[in-house]
């Protein structure tokens, strides 16, 4: 399959103003040189999206649904190729990449189904003086900005609902992992998305170019997934033109193992919750909180499972833990571990930065006190700090002691106790006795500084729709 590397504007693959090397973090080799965009390319993308909105927003939901369904089918047929691309540019192992691609494709299928189900409302006003008609219309041109950790799924989680709603868009993926996003844009092209509806750019100067776009009144919506730090900057920028925003930001998930939990099941789930994607997930279990009476058994079994992982480049047969996305990200992980050690963390396994080529870091388990500073950082790697607690109330207090509120995990043999705990946790999502709950059919998103809005589920399409009330004299 031909590797696409150019910008995609108004239905054409275009040259831009410069180039950027995409690096394989497992051996630091150059995979491809891609085209980058200057301001005039960004303007051309906005012109195209603005023009296409007039016709795309008027297409029938069924027409849009069928294009999305076609995109789903192409993506599934090409899943191995795309997973290889994800693994090469992101560093994650092939099995994680393949899982991501299937999950990503499911957003096309889910929103192909949702496109024709947008609810409306028709009511008598309470006083009987009029009729209340409520309908939903596509917002307009949307900017979609995505991170490097799930280069396929974070793109489709925005592209699919935006297309289903009838919006047009400009996609800007992370500069570390653009090849997957470009391929997905090509799938949409082949599935029949008309020119101008989806545009892809990778600016030379990200901040300046995206800021310029956000200050053009033709842009109506910003859908961002990335760090809380960048999210805060963008919320401030969005304030100037009161741009609608949805923000899927950082997380620092607690994983609670209560004293009546099935420890073998909890270990299996903790491996998934912590290690899917090599630990580089906003949903990653970053603070493992374990009841004192089961702490020794859990720590021993969890450390054994972590220590048994095969660390190798993502496409190596049997690899279970690949490279981080870049040397810079790998070094950040190493610095956080060193900081934790300096504050008294006891290392159970791992904890040393390897020498040599590639952005690798070993699976690391440490036992820390509840005031260890590593607990207030989002560790985007294979590092699991364990904290021992004495009561459920103490566990809940530690879990909630963070600016983040994306997801929490609870393990207990008593469902009522688990639900009571879930209700007390400050998080947009809670997993009970499971290590993964992400599902295109469920609303994904956080509270506190983990974000605004929800993606997926029945609400996901509303991130791209405006509610309109029409009052009718009778
Ligand atoms: P990041 O915030 O550094 O970058 C995200 C995107 O924003 C990239 O495309 C980047 O180029 C772009 N960007 C950076 N500065 C910008 C600016 N000034 N203007 C416009 N765009 C700008 O995040 P990252 O390192 O790529 O990804 C990791 C972060 O993403 C983690 O914090 C993780 O928790 C978060 N994340 C959240 C979710 C979620 O659904 N809540 C999902 C995946 C990742």
């Amino acid at each position: 399959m031909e590797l696409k590397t150019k910008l995609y504007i108004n239905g054409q693959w275009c040259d831009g103003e410069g180039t950027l090397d995409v690096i394989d973090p497992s051996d630091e080799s150059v995979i491809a040189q891609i085209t980058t965009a200057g301001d005039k390319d960004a303007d051309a993308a906005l012109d195209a999206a603005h023009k296409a909105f007039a016709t795309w927003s008027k297409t029938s939901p069924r027409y849009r649904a069928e294009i999305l369904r076609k995109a789903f089918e192409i993506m599934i047929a090409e899943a191995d190729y795309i997973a290889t691309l994800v693994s090469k540019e992101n560093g994650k192992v092939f099995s994680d990449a393949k899982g991501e691609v299937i999950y990503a494709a499911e957003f096309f299928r889910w929103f192909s189904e949702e496109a024709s189900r947008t609810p409306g409302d028709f009511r008598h006003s309470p006083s009987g003086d009029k009729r209340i008609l409520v309908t939903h219309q596509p917002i307009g041109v949307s900017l979609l900005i995505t991170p490097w950790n799930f280069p396929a799924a974070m793109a489709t989680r925005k592209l699919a609902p935006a297309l289903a709603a009838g919006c047009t868009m400009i996609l800007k993926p992370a500069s570390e992992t653009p090849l997957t996003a470009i391929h997905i844009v090509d799938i949409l092209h082949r599935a029949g998305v008309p020119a101008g509806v989806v545009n892809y750019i990778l600016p030379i100067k990200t901040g300046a170019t995206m800021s310029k776009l956000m200050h053009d009144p033709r842009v109506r919506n910003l859908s961002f997934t990335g760090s809380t730090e960048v999210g805060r900057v963008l919320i401030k920028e969005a304030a100037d033109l009161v741009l609608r925003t949805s923000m899927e930001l950082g997380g620092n998930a607690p994983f609670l193992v209560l004293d009546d939990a099935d420890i073998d099941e909890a270990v299996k789930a903790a491996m998934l919750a912590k290690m899917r994607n090599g630990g580089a997930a906003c949903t990653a279990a970053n603070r493992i909180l374990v009841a004192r009476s089961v702490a020794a058994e859990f720590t021993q079994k969890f450390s054994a499972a972590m220590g048994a992982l095969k660390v190798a480049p993502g496409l190596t047969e049997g690899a279970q833990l690949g490279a981080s996305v870049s040397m810079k990200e790998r070094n950040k992980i190493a610095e956080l571990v060193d900081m934790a050690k300096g504050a008294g963390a006891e290392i159970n396994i791992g904890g040393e930065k390897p020498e040599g080529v590639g952005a690798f870091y070993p699976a690391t388990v440490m036992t820390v006190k509840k005031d260890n500073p590593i607990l207030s950082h989002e560790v985007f790697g294979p590092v699991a700090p364990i904290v021992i607690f004495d009561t459920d109330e103490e566990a809940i207090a530690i879990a909630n002691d963070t600016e983040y509120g994306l997801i929490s995990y609870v393990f207990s043999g008593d469902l009522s106790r688990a639900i009571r705990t879930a209700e007390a946790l400050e998080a947009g999502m809670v997993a009970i006795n499971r290590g993964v709950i992400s599902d295109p059919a469920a609303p994904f998103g956080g509270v506190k500084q983990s974000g605004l809005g929800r993606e997926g589920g029945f609400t996901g399409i509303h991130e791209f729709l405006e509610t309109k009330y029409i009052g009718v004299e009778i």
Side-chain angles (χ1 to χ4, degrees):
M1 212 166 293
E2 186 200 349
L3 188 66
K4 294 269 190 303
T5 56
K6 293 191 172 189
L7 309 177
Y8 181 76
I9 298 171
N10 203 21
Q12 306 286 328
W13 296 100
C14 311
D15 289 322
E17 272 186 25
T19 59
L20 180 81
D21 289 344
V22 182
I23 308 291
D24 177 341
S26 61
D27 62 7
E28 298 167 61
S29 64
V30 176
I31 310 167
Q33 204 171 53
I34 58 155
T35 305
T36 48
D39 279 351
K40 93 173 176 354
D41 306 303
D43 286 346
L46 178 53
D47 287 345
H50 182 247
K51 186 156 167 274
F53 183 70
T55 45
W56 178 250
S57 59
K58 306 281 184 314
T59 54
S60 70
R62 181 76 79 212
Y63 173 73
R64 300 195 295 272
E66 281 172 5
I67 290 178
L68 283 166
R69 174 73 202 195
K70 183 98 202 292
F72 163 71
E73 282 162 12
I74 300 175
M75 199 159 173
I76 292 294
E78 296 176 2
D80 281 351
Y81 172 79
I82 305 168
T84 306
L85 215 52
V86 170
S87 178
K88 270 187 100 57
E89 64 177 353
N90 170 280
K92 71 177 79 173
V93 295
F94 182 80
S95 53
D96 278 348
K98 181 82 182 276
E100 180 194 344
V101 171
I102 303 296
Y103 171 57
E106 285 296 341
F107 283 101
F108 285 145
R109 174 151 69 172
W110 172 256
F111 283 106
S112 78
E113 293 157 351
E114 283 300 284
S116 44
R117 311 230 189 291
T118 311
D121 197 10
F122 181 78
R123 283 185 286 137
H124 291 239
S125 65
S127 66
D129 67 335
K130 62 182 172 306
R131 299 296 178 264
I132 294 173
L133 203 157
V134 180
T135 186
H136 302 281
Q137 294 182 315
I139 293 183
V141 176
S142 299
L143 302 179
L144 316 179
I145 304 180
T146 56
W148 52 260
N149 66 331
F150 288 101
M154 297 303 96
T156 58
R157 202 166 74 178
K158 298 185 187 305
L159 291 161
L163 286 164
C167 289
T168 58
M169 62 215 75
I170 301 173
L171 171 68
K172 193 221 85 67
S175 49
E176 294 88 343
T177 54
L179 298 172
T180 308
I182 301 176
H183 189 83
I184 290 171
V185 167
D186 185 46
I187 288 176
L188 290 170
H189 176 85
R190 285 182 277 144
V193 172
V197 173
V198 172
N199 302 276
Y200 147 77
I201 58 168
L202 195 82
I204 305 170
K205 294 183 186 142
T206 303
T209 301
M210 296 316 286
S211 172
K212 190 157 177 278
L213 287 173
M214 287 173 71
H215 288 87
D216 188 309
R218 291 174 295 171
V219 171
R220 297 292 167 78
N221 185 31
L222 166 68
S223 175
F224 173 78
T225 299
S227 61
T228 296
E229 194 187 352
V230 173
R232 279 191 205 105
V233 171
L234 295 180
I235 291 170
K236 282 185 192 142
E237 294 246 20
D240 291 340
L241 295 195
V242 194
L243 198 61
R244 173 97 169 259
T245 60
S246 58
M247 294 278 149
E248 295 289 344
L249 307 178
N252 193 1
F255 187 103
L256 280 63
V257 184
L258 307 189
D259 57 14
D260 60 356
D262 177 326
I263 298 305
D264 290 329
E265 287 302 316
V267 167
K268 265 194 246 159
M271 289 301 292
L272 274 176
K274 175 67 246 185
M275 295 305 292
R276 197 167 60 107
N277 238 20
C282 52
T283 51
N286 270 336
R287 298 175 295 146
I288 316 262
L289 314 181
V290 189
R292 191 173 298 279
S293 60
V294 291
E297 182 188 356
F298 178 89
T299 305
Q300 182 267 319
K301 290 180 170 171
F302 181 58
S303 301
M306 289 281 274
L309 292 175
K310 178 174 172 180
V311 183
L315 294 175
T316 308
E317 186 70 35
Q320 291 169 302
L321 172 58
S324 179
V325 73
S326 63
M327 294 304 271
K328 189 171 143 224
E329 280 298 320
R330 192 283 301 267
N331 293 342
K332 266 198 228 168
I333 299 165
E335 278 164 26
L336 286 171
V337 172
D338 290 346
M339 180 186 73
K341 287 198 266 187
E346 240 175 72
I347 301 292
N348 299 81
I349 53 150
E352 291 297 332
K353 183 167 80 172
E355 296 296 325
V357 178
F360 295 96
Y361 198 84
T364 297
V365 180
M366 59 175 83
T367 308
V368 302
K369 297 267 182 304
K370 65 183 176 188
D371 59 355
N372 193 296
I374 195 167
L375 298 175
S376 51
H377 290 266
E378 183 183 28
V379 185
F380 235 50
V383 176
I386 294 177
V387 184
I388 297 170
F389 66 83
D390 288 301
T391 63
D392 291 8
E393 291 67 32
E394 186 192 4
I396 292 165
I398 300 170
N400 289 343
D401 184 19
T402 166
E403 68 198 34
Y404 297 106
L406 189 62
I407 186 169
S408 301
Y409 302 82
V410 182
F411 261 78
S412 168
D414 174 348
L415 191 57
S416 307
R417 187 180 176 195
I419 289 176
R420 278 198 306 277
T421 307
E423 287 175 354
L425 290 167
E426 295 169 355
M429 302 175 282
V430 182
I432 294 182
N433 294 339
R434 277 189 71 91
V436 178
I437 57 166
S438 300
D439 189 317
F444 188 104
V447 301
K448 294 160 80 177
Q449 294 184 40
S450 284
L452 302 168
R454 294 291 181 271
E455 291 190 325
F458 298 122
T459 42
I461 196 166
H462 287 277
E463 302 290 324
F464 295 91
L465 291 168
E466 290 283 19
T467 299
K468 181 175 276 181
Y469 157 49
I470 302 173
V472 186
E473 178 67 26
I474 293 291

